[in-house]
């Protein structure tokens, strides 16, 4: 079912955690039963473009650009996946409510897939 975003008026899925157009959270972030997911954008310097489309339980929740950071809330235990162009992620990350989970994706040029990993801290430094 589609609902209207309270911020920009775009039609979005009622299962979405945030508006895909403007990023406005759809739901109460004050709820202590929510979890937070932080996704760090690709950091490989030789990739052109490199924006990641992020999905929670198969629903598109937003996009993170190369070297960017995207944060969103979850209301239930979720499976996080990503796509970069036509390249799917090789694995999924299971996240739990009540926690903050930080995810970093690396592009594997051999397999052509994105490899996710849970991290404590990410430093995006250019490699010369």
């Amino acid at each position: 079912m589609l609902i209207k975003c309270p911020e920009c008026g775009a039609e979005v899925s009622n299962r979405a955690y945030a508006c895909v157009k403007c990023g406005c959270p759809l739901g109460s972030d004050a709820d202590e039963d929510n979890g937070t997911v932080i996704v760090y954008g690709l950091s490989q310097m030789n990739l052109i473009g490199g924006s990641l489309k992020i999905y929670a339980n198969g629903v598109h929740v937003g996009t993170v650009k190369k070297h960017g950071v995207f944060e969103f809330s979850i209301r239930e235990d979720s499976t996080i996946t990503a796509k970069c162009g036509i390249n799917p992620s090789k694995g999924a990350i299971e996240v739990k409510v009540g926690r903050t989970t930080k995810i970093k994706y690396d592009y594997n040029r051999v397999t052509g897939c994105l490899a996710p990993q849970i991290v404590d801290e990410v430093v995006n430094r250019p490699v010369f």
Side-chain angles (χ1 to χ4, degrees), residues 3 12-20 23-29 34-35 37 54-62 70-80 95 97:
I3 60 172
V12 295
S13 169
N14 64 336
R15 294 176 49 203
Y17 302 104
C19 176
V20 295
C24 175
L26 301 175
S28 172
D29 283 10
N34 284 353
V37 179
I54 308 300
Y55 298 84
N57 294 330
V59 177
H60 182 251
V61 293
F70 176 63
E71 182 175 334
F72 61 98
S73 294
I74 56 170
R75 297 181 212 129
E76 62 187 1
D77 293 349
S78 301
T79 302
I80 308 300
V95 296
V97 294

Side-chain angles (χ1 to χ4, degrees), residues 6 15 21 26 36-37 44 46 49-50 53 60-62 67 72-73 77 79 83 91 101 104-106 110 117 127:
R15 294 176 49 203
K21 184 175 179 186
L26 301 175
T36 302
V37 179
Q44 284 101 333
N46 57 347
K53 292 181 181 177
H60 182 251
V61 293
H67 298 291
F72 61 98
S73 294
D77 293 349
T79 302
K83 287 186 181 176
T101 305
K104 180 180 184 304
Y105 284 89
D106 287 318
V110 174
Q117 60 182 335
V127 178

Side-chain angles (χ1 to χ4, degrees), residues 38-41 63-65 67-71 124:
I38 301 170
V39 180
Y40 297 95
T63 302
V64 60
K65 294 183 178 182
H67 298 291
V69 178
F70 176 63
E71 182 175 334
N124 285 330

Side-chain angles (χ1 to χ4, degrees), residues 109-123:
R109 294 186 335 178
V110 174
T111 64
C113 292
L114 300 168
Q117 60 182 335
I118 295 177
V119 296
D120 289 330
E121 181 180 350
V122 172
V123 178

Side-chain angles (χ1 to χ4, degrees), residues 41-42 47-52 64-67 84:
L42 294 170
L47 289 178
I48 297 173
S51 291
L52 295 175
V64 60
K65 294 183 178 182
K66 186 175 177 181
H67 298 291
C84 180

